[in-house]
Amino acid sequence: MLFDKQTYKSRRDVLRRRVEHGVIVLFGNNESPVNYPANAYKYRQDSSFLYYYGLHRDGLVGVIDADSGDEWLIGNDIDIEDIVWFGSVDSVATMAAQTGVAKSAPMSRLADIVSEVHRQGRRLHFLPPYRHDIMIQLMDLTGIHPREQRAAASVELIRAVVDQRAVKSEGEVAEIERACAIGYEMHTTAMQMCRPGVTEQEIAGRISGIASSKGCIVSFSSILTMHGEIMHGYPSTRPLEAGRLMLCDCGAETNENYCSDHTRTTPVSGRFTQRQRDIYQIVVDAHDHVRDIARPGLKWWDAHFAAARIITERLHDLGLMRGNIDDSLEAGAHALFFPTGLGHMMGMDVHDMEGLGQNYVGFDDEVQPRLDQFGTNCLRCGRRLQEGFVMTDEPGVYFIPDLIDDWRARGHNAEFLCFDKIEAYKDFGGIRIEDDLLITASGARYLGEKRIPYHVDELEAYLEARQ
């Protein structure tokens, strides 16, 4: 357990008070087989269960009566055959005591508890399930079909969990810093290996090994590619080519499952061409501007469009865009080059709490998503920032050949886009720079004691000094 039992008890007390009435059921994860039951993926606990209980064992469920305050930890003790293969572990009763829960019971008791809730006409609160074994268990308990469970999940519980998990404590920030330290080693290793002839797959394999050896796992499947214009360009067996750019977007999870997420774009030849430098500097300036303006009370929506404005203005200067800047931004013309959102919350999930429903995580009654405009519809967060939020700051400029062809054929935003000049960039790829931004009382700072090089001069000097 990362924290003492009082921390987890206090978190559950806050949750119970916010939900107010009914019974809360928080499912932990089970083992997940790769290709047969005894060959499982590396175990990963559900993040919300981990936040409220701190326990990494599979097959556990937490139950909280919001009215009475009664709590149970539900799960089956392992038998002697399990001990032979996996060793002895604490009993469920012992784990309950460790996390400050007074009562424990076998899994068969869960059906009795849920039946009693239904008999009394009380509200059963559960989060949207994402694993099919939990969906089946939930259907057995409630009769709700898996296709209806997300809609039936408790909005009160979702909002209560989001409000708590969004604001990181000092201890959580320290754990994210540990993940960032692993991320630093992953990214600098990728930069050291970035040379013509080395394959994308070889570099990605090496950095994934760093995550596994120094933490738990990678925080998501590493993106490493010369085709940086592909948002999720996973590594192939292609050798890196001189004159190209290598985009590396990767991160680590600590053993307590807190995440890092950084992106760097590295010239394979060690130095940028002038054309690459021009586009790269746009991304650097947008990235750094977000750090400078981020503070409690700022809408992340406004931070996104502040970055989009810099990108639009600079592409005007290069002759790739034209027309009135404000009109161009309103029309979404910048999304040809910047079709993603600026960033997302981060914590125990690299897209923190996304499984609970992105609109609950990133938006609220004040700021609602705009789903009718390409690019803006990909914004994962728009709400006002609070002290303790951790956000990824990841602007980018991408030249996506198929998207360019599509917009040109349709004349989409043609009054703002210089397609003849853009045509010459269809072989460019894409550039993204990403760091993890902690919102502080008076502003913001990037997490990670060691900063992964990204400013042009320091990056080129770092590459020149490598062995």
Side-chain angles (χ1 to χ4, degrees):
M1 294 170 64
L2 179 59
F3 303 112
D4 60 77
K5 71 177 180 181
Q6 187 56 45
T7 296
Y8 297 106
K9 188 175 187 308
S10 296
R11 287 174 175 177
R12 296 193 302 272
D13 287 343
V14 170
L15 181 68
R16 177 175 59 82
R17 290 194 298 270
R18 290 183 176 179
V19 172
E20 293 185 332
H21 301 294
V23 174
I24 301 164
V25 178
L26 295 172
F27 290 90
N29 281 338
N30 300 311
E31 293 280 7
S32 182
V34 177
N35 53 351
Y36 55 89
N39 186 28
Y41 289 102
K42 183 176 176 63
Y43 181 70
R44 174 58 156 89
Q45 183 60 279
D46 174 78
S47 295
S48 290
F49 183 89
L50 190 60
Y51 181 83
Y52 289 105
Y53 294 94
L55 299 170
H56 289 273
R57 212 207 84 172
D58 63 303
L60 299 174
V61 179
V63 177
I64 305 168
D65 189 317
D67 296 285
S68 69
D70 289 341
E71 292 185 274
W72 296 265
L73 183 67
I74 308 292
N76 294 327
D77 288 326
I78 67 171
D79 58 26
I80 192 63
E81 289 192 19
D82 291 323
I83 292 173
V84 168
W85 288 101
F86 301 110
S88 183
V89 298
D90 290 333
S91 69
V92 175
T94 298
M95 288 186 287
Q98 289 168 350
T99 195
V101 176
K103 303 175 184 178
S104 64
M107 190 59 71
S108 59
R109 176 78 175 103
L110 183 59
D112 297 334
I113 292 172
V114 173
S115 294
E116 184 66 13
V117 170
H118 288 156
R119 188 188 67 79
Q120 295 175 349
R122 302 176 67 198
R123 178 75 186 279
L124 185 74
H125 300 276
F126 60 86
L127 296 174
Y130 54 91
R131 288 194 173 186
H132 290 89
D133 55 337
I134 301 299
M135 292 179 188
I136 293 169
Q137 184 179 9
L138 191 56
M139 182 172 65
D140 289 342
L141 290 167
T142 66
I144 303 172
H145 193 278
R147 66 170 172 265
E148 299 168 346
Q149 289 172 4
R150 290 194 68 84
S154 168
V155 174
E156 298 96 323
L157 180 58
I158 291 170
R159 287 178 171 162
V161 171
V162 168
D163 285 348
Q164 277 188 271
R165 285 183 56 191
V167 178
K168 307 302 185 289
S169 68
E170 289 185 8
E172 289 180 286
V173 171
E175 195 66 16
I176 297 172
E177 294 269 24
R178 293 186 186 98
C180 289
I182 303 170
Y184 173 87
E185 186 168 342
M186 293 168 72
H187 275 277
T188 52
T189 296
M191 289 175 176
Q192 292 285 337
M193 295 180 68
C194 180
R195 302 172 188 271
V198 181
T199 67
E200 296 172 358
Q201 193 173 68
E202 181 179 353
I203 299 174
R206 184 76 63 84
I207 63 178
S208 294
I210 292 170
S212 297
S213 65
K214 296 189 176 292
C216 181
I217 52 176
V218 291
S219 50
F220 57 97
S221 295
S222 299
I223 297 165
L224 193 143
T225 179
M226 290 180 289
H227 283 283
E229 78 280 5
I230 301 173
M231 300 307 144
H232 290 173
Y234 297 117
S236 74
T237 55
R238 287 190 301 265
L240 299 181
E241 300 169 10
R244 299 286 295 275
L245 298 169
M246 181 191 77
L247 186 148
C248 178
D249 184 346
C250 68
E253 284 194 14
T254 67
N255 288 322
E256 293 296 332
N257 299 117
Y258 282 84
C259 299
S260 67
D261 185 4
H262 299 90
T263 305
R264 292 295 185 265
T265 307
T266 305
V268 176
S269 298
R271 300 189 68 83
F272 294 102
T273 66
Q274 187 58 52
R275 187 172 74 152
Q276 290 169 346
R277 180 185 286 250
D278 290 341
I279 301 298
Y280 187 89
Q281 191 61 49
I282 294 172
V283 180
V284 169
D285 291 344
H287 169 274
D288 289 358
H289 181 65
V290 171
R291 174 204 57 203
D292 293 341
I293 66 172
R295 65 187 186 281
L298 176 74
K299 289 189 288 188
W300 193 245
W301 181 283
D302 293 337
H304 169 81
F305 277 98
R309 178 174 290 274
I310 288 175
I311 290 169
T312 301
E313 290 173 346
R314 300 296 177 80
L315 292 175
H316 268 249
D317 295 342
L318 291 177
L320 298 178
M321 297 187 72
R322 60 191 174 197
N324 180 272
I325 299 291
D326 290 331
D327 292 344
S328 177
L329 288 166
E330 178 62 28
H334 62 280
L336 178 67
F337 310 99
F338 182 31
T340 65
L342 174 63
H344 49 82
M345 285 191 183
M346 203 186 68
M348 262 192 282
D349 306 314
V350 71
H351 288 182
D352 208 21
M353 302 174 285
E354 190 168 289
L356 302 183
Q358 194 58 54
N359 287 355
Y360 295 116
V361 177
F363 298 91
D364 53 23
D365 292 339
E366 180 188 14
V367 184
Q368 288 292 302
R370 182 177 176 181
L371 303 177
D372 62 342
Q373 186 183 82
F374 179 80
T376 310
N377 63 333
C378 291
L379 190 57
R380 288 191 174 94
C381 183
R383 64 189 289 190
R384 291 188 187 275
L385 301 173
Q386 297 178 41
E387 182 181 357
F389 280 14
V390 176
M391 308 295 301
T392 62
D393 171 13
E394 50 178 311
V397 173
Y398 311 94
F399 294 90
I400 307 168
D402 289 337
L403 186 62
I404 293 168
D405 290 344
D406 176 70
W407 281 32
R408 184 169 196 170
R410 295 190 289 116
H412 186 58
N413 280 318
E415 64 270 37
F416 303 114
L417 299 166
C418 303
F419 283 111
D420 286 343
K421 292 186 177 180
I422 294 169
E423 191 75 19
Y425 283 77
K426 286 169 69 175
D427 65 346
F428 185 92
I431 293 172
R432 177 164 66 254
I433 301 171
E434 176 184 14
D435 283 296
D436 305 329
L437 190 67
L438 172 68
I439 308 305
T440 64
S442 58
R445 69 175 178 89
Y446 290 133
L447 295 176
E449 182 179 352
K450 293 182 178 180
R451 304 289 300 120
I452 307 164
Y454 70 94
H455 288 111
V456 172
D457 291 343
E458 67 171 345
L459 175 56
E460 290 185 339
Y462 181 85
L463 296 174
E464 185 176 356
R466 63 189 171 175
Q467 297 299 316

